[in-house]
Structure formats: C-alpha cells, structure tokens
Amino acid sequence: MSKLTAHRKEALRYHMKQYGTGMMFMLPWIIGFLIFVAIPVGWSIFMSLHKVAVVPGGFQYTWLGFQNYKDAFLKDSIFPIEMITYFQEMLLMVPIIVIFALLIALLLNQQFPGRFLFRALFFLPVIFATGQVLSELFTQGAGDIPFLEQYNLEPLVRQYVGGELALTVMEVLGRIVLILWYSGVQILIFIAGFQTISPSIYEAVRIDGASPWDSFWKITLPSSLPFISLNMLYTIIDLFTFPMNPVLAHIRENMFKVNTGYGYASALAWIYFAFIFVLIGIVLALFNRSLRQRGRRS
Amino acid sequence: MIARLRKLRQVSPFQIVLVTVFTALAAFMSLPIIFIFSHAFKPKNELFLFPPRFLVQHPTIHNFEVLLLHASNATVPFTRYLFNSLLVVSLTLFSVIVVSTMAAYVLAKYKFHFKGLILSLITLSLMFAPETVSIPRYLIINGLGLNNTYFGHILPSLASPVAVFMLVGFISQIPNDLMEAARIDGASHLGIFTRIVLPLSVPAVATISILTFQTVWGDVETSTLFMQKEAMRTLPFYVNSLLSGLQNNVAGQNMAAAAGLLIFIPNLIIFLLFQRKVLETMVHSGIK
C-alpha cells in the first residue's frame, strides 16, 4: 500500500516537474503578453462600455452600458454597410489567396533550374506588403490591371454570377495584384510544409503505379491539411488587420471625433473582432473535424 | 559549353513552361521594388508628370542631398535617430526570438496548466487591431515609468502573438521521437531546446525575424506615444515627421521619395540576409 502511494507521489512529482518546466519556458512570454496585450485588450472592453472623454490630466469615463454597441448598428450609417461589404470581399479573397499560394508552392517545389531565385522572388512582397509602400503604389495606379477595362469584362461577369455578386467579383479581380503580393508568407509555409512529407512515401506510391495527379490528391493534399488551416488563419488575420482596410479606417476616424471618441471606437473594434472571431471559429472547426477523421482512418 | 548545352537539352518541355510562367510572374512581383528605386531618383519635374511614368528618365541624386541637408539642420542629428533605430531593432529581434521560441516549444510539446487557454488567447489577440489598444498601452507604459527609455520601445512588441502562432505550427512538426531520443541520452529540457528545437526551427525563426524586423523598423507608434524626448525617437518617426509637415508641399515630394527608399533598403538587406535560411528546407536536418 505504501509502495503504491509512493508510486503515485512519484508520478505526481514527475507531472508537476513537467508542468513546472512548461511554465518556466512560458513565463517571459506570459508576463509580456499580460502587460502589453491582455490588459490593454481588457481595458478596451471597459472603454467600449463607457463614453471616454479626454479631460486635462487624464480620461473621464461615463458609464453607457451597451449604448455604444447599439449606436454602431442603429445610428452609424457607414459602419454596418462597410463591414458587410468587406466581409463579402474577404470571403472570396481568402480561399483564392490560399489556393493560389498552394499552386505556386507546388510548382516551386518541382525541380527546375533557378528555383531558389524564384522562391526568393515570391517571398519578396512580404517586405513591402505593409504600410506606406503599398498605399503609394496604389495611388500611383500600379495596383490596377488594365485589361479589366480594356475588354470590358464587367457585363460578362454580371451575366455569369448575377448582379449582387458581380460587384464583389469585379473588386476581387481588380485586386489580383494584391493577391499576388499577399501570398508570400503562405507560399513559404506551404513549401516548408511539403518538406515534412517523406520522399519515400512518394516513391512507394509511384512503384504502386500512382500518377502524379493521384499522389497529389492522396498524399500531398491530406498531409498539408494542417498547413492549409494555418495559412487560412494567417490570411484571414492578415487581411482583416490590413492597414488600408476601410473598416479599420472608420474605427480610427471615430477615435478622434469629439462626439464619438475612444469608447465608441472600442465598441466598433469589438464588433468587428467578434465577426472575425466567428469566421475563424468556423474555419478551425472545419479543419479540426477533417483532421480528426483522418487520424481515425489511419 | 558542350556540357552545358547537353544539360539544357535535358530540360523537359514542362520545365520550360514552368520557368517562363515563373519569369513572367516574378517580373510582375518585382515591379514595386523597381518602382521604389526609380522613384527615389526622379528629378522633381518627373515626380509630377501626368500620367505618371514608371521608370525614371533622367536619374539624379538631388533628392538625397535635399533630405540630408534638411536632416543636418535639425536639433537632434540624423545619426542619433539611426542609432536609436538600430539598437531598438536588434534588441527587439533578439528578445522576440528567444521569448517566442521558448513559449512555442512548450506550447507545442509539453503539457501544463492553462495551455489551451494560452493557445486560444494567442489566436484571439492576433485578430485585434493594434490601433485600438494604443491608449491603454500608453497608460501602462506611463504607469511603469518606461517613458523615454529604450524599454518603452522594446517591451510592447516582446510578446508577439504572430511569432508564437507561426512557431507553434512549425515546432509541432518536429517528431517527438527525436526529442525522446535526446532525453534518453540524458539531455535536459534546456539542452533539448537549444540543441534540437532551435536548430530545427531555423526556417521559421528566419521568417519571424523578417516579419518582426519589418514591423519594428517601420513602427512609429512607440516613438509617437511613449517617447516625449526627441533624442529617444527612431528613424521612421523622424522621416514621418519630416514628411507630414511637407505633405501637400511640392518641395517635400522629392524628399519623400528619397526617404521612402532609405527606409526600405534595410528591409531589403535583412530580407536578403535571412531568405537563404528561410528557404533552406528541412531536408538536411535529419528529420526524415
């Protein structure tokens, strides 16, 4: 009996030690996270429920409850519309970017002369995808593709996808350039992901008579599922925190307006955030399910 | 020569198509960079051409002269901003890498309390737009007395959710067997971390370095909000303040173009330094 408790004690100690090590490694990050991310985010919830006014020597909070949130939908004439259009656009952009990145990564994974150079080139947009450079380029008109107007594609698109969606499709087409520039990190993640698949599996299926087409669907795609979900998340986050995003611009604008102020801007941010959260939740749930199914089968 | 020709002949039609398609796409991808470079060397009359021209016709270095002359008139010398920027960027980069890899390692490979909570917090905080937390952050920095110190620049970007998020994905791909083998051979937790996990996650670390460098190098928020002394501010802030005063000014446009290039070049250098490592595949690392 005493031997058993000793055993249990030992096991407990082992577990505590492992937990302790985990916590030790986490500690610096947790402290930084709490102070500079968690507390500010919590603070912004607090502010979203108040009217925040800047007075000499600090801030003045007046309790409003959910008034800010109600105003966002009922009084604000720009926010809901802008958010919905942006979400429509993103729902189309995210899969396109991920699929495009997957295709490019597949091609870059082939053997051909100079592929190192090309890999570097495709990753290059990462370094100017943020901030000033991009907006400068767009104002200069470098982001448009001329053939859209030249060949008058709009009626054609309208005919095939219907009036409501046509606008969104056209916008996405107009952003092809953006898609190209925004898939650098995703391509990289995919290429790295492909390296984790052992070449001997490909060899085995080739000997078994599978065509490259089969081996893509049966091996490459299933094994890169975790990377697809990683990329989906990354793309969603990347696009939704995009500096030229109209919704964020609207939030920023409200931040410094006298009659709305920081409290209202925080409320808008939280609404926006809630919608993204739902979207990400759906993506994660879908991928988790397919991953679990795969795990059960193998 | 003959050997090379023979090698060319071995290239299959598929590869030729591949290379042509990629060359076209790659030319397209590199347009912005060519634009930035040629824009910086445009003389003033070309900057205002309509319709705008993509390439410079009569290159000049006048823009840089104006920028540097303007800079030497300021109260704080240009080099001080540069020094601040370099110090902040290198310290941040180092600490972000250490902190994030440590956190990501245990998140990917260990069991401990609140792990699920932490993971979901990371995903949550990724989505939050940075602008909305800037005022609470200011209050915290102020409360901790970090105003006008280098810590005020470094600490806010230390706990980077993006870095941990990407690293967890990478590190969880490292086979457990490898770590178990090391443990059996008598390696400590720290030993496993430094000898196995770090070397194997070099590609991910390099990616993070590029991303972190970019955000920190171009960041004006910490300088604007947390630094009241001019001598503690960084280069991008200086360039921004230079430009914002001259926004609608015809004279400012050439400085803006030159400054744009100056801010961009370090990004390019870091990219060229790290991209080799980024693209270095895990093939050689013994994972297979």
Side-chain angles (χ1 to χ4, degrees), chain A residues 38-269:
Chain A
I39 293 178
V41 166
W43 206 315
S44 83
I45 299 182
F46 171 76
M47 291 208 287
S48 76
L49 298 172
H50 289 77
K51 177 155 185 62
V52 182
V54 185
V55 290
F59 294 95
Q60 193 187 26
Y61 301 103
T62 330
W63 173 256
L64 279 182
F66 283 97
Q67 192 58 41
N68 278 332
Y69 291 88
K70 267 189 225 156
D71 285 353
F73 287 108
L74 300 178
K75 270 195 196 157
D76 198 323
S77 56
I78 307 169
F79 180 70
I81 298 167
E82 217 151 55
M83 198 171 72
I84 290 168
T85 26
Y86 196 68
F87 264 83
Q88 264 180 353
E89 221 173 276
M90 289 311 110
L91 281 182
L92 218 60
M93 284 277 271
V94 171
I96 292 176
I97 290 183
V98 172
I99 292 169
F100 175 79
L102 180 67
L103 285 178
I104 295 285
L106 270 177
L107 291 179
L108 283 173
N109 209 28
Q110 306 292 319
Q111 287 292 339
F112 62 89
R115 66 181 180 145
F116 253 95
L117 194 74
F118 286 116
R119 282 185 186 184
L121 267 173
F122 275 94
F123 189 52
L124 199 58
V126 172
I127 61 173
F128 54 71
T130 45
Q132 282 205 317
V133 183
L134 204 68
S135 52
E136 177 81 4
L137 282 168
F138 268 81
T139 49
Q140 295 274 347
D144 305 336
I145 24 179
F147 73 78
L148 278 184
E149 279 126 46
Q150 263 168 30
Y151 297 103
N152 205 5
L153 276 174
E154 205 182 334
L156 205 72
V157 173
R158 201 173 284 269
Q159 191 186 335
Y160 281 108
V161 294
E164 267 305 301
L165 267 175
L167 220 69
T168 322
V169 171
M170 282 307 284
E171 288 233 341
V172 170
L173 274 179
R175 296 239 177 117
I176 289 285
V177 182
L178 208 65
I179 294 175
L180 273 173
W181 288 344
Y182 256 70
S183 42
V185 176
Q186 286 87 332
I187 291 174
L188 204 78
I189 292 176
F190 274 133
I191 292 180
F194 292 152
Q195 308 309 322
T196 60
I197 309 168
S198 157
S200 56
I201 298 179
Y202 286 110
E203 212 175 291
V205 292
R206 206 175 53 238
I207 291 168
D208 286 347
S211 65
W213 178 253
D214 287 332
S215 71
F216 168 74
W217 289 107
K218 297 266 160 65
I219 291 162
T220 314
L221 199 62
S223 351
S224 42
L225 258 185
F227 297 96
I228 294 176
S229 74
L230 183 70
N231 270 335
M232 279 279 204
L233 285 181
Y234 188 86
T235 316
I236 291 175
I237 288 155
D238 210 26
L239 286 172
F240 280 106
T241 52
F242 182 51
M244 281 158 60
N245 175 341
V247 184
L248 283 185
H250 184 68
I251 293 175
R252 254 197 310 267
E253 214 174 87
N254 271 305
M255 217 182 270
F256 300 108
K257 267 190 201 161
V258 186
N259 58 342
T260 49
Y262 214 83
Y264 182 62
S266 301
L268 288 188

Side-chain angles (χ1 to χ4, degrees), chain B residues 93-157:
Chain B
L93 207 56
F94 177 75
S95 38
V96 163
I97 290 172
V98 171
V99 170
S100 318
T101 41
M102 271 166 63
Y105 164 52
V106 286
L107 279 177
K109 293 294 180 194
Y110 278 78
K111 272 195 216 139
F112 55 92
H113 302 285
F114 312 120
K115 184 174 138 178
L117 183 73
I118 292 172
L119 276 173
S120 47
L121 273 179
I122 290 173
T123 341
L124 274 172
S125 55
L126 273 177
M127 290 170 267
F128 217 80
E131 288 91 352
T132 48
V133 291
S134 56
I135 289 196
R137 269 190 184 175
Y138 167 75
L139 295 172
I140 287 169
I141 291 272
N142 216 1
L144 291 175
L146 293 177
N147 281 7
N148 296 319
T149 60
Y150 286 111
F151 286 116
H153 280 298
I154 297 165
L155 293 181
S157 44

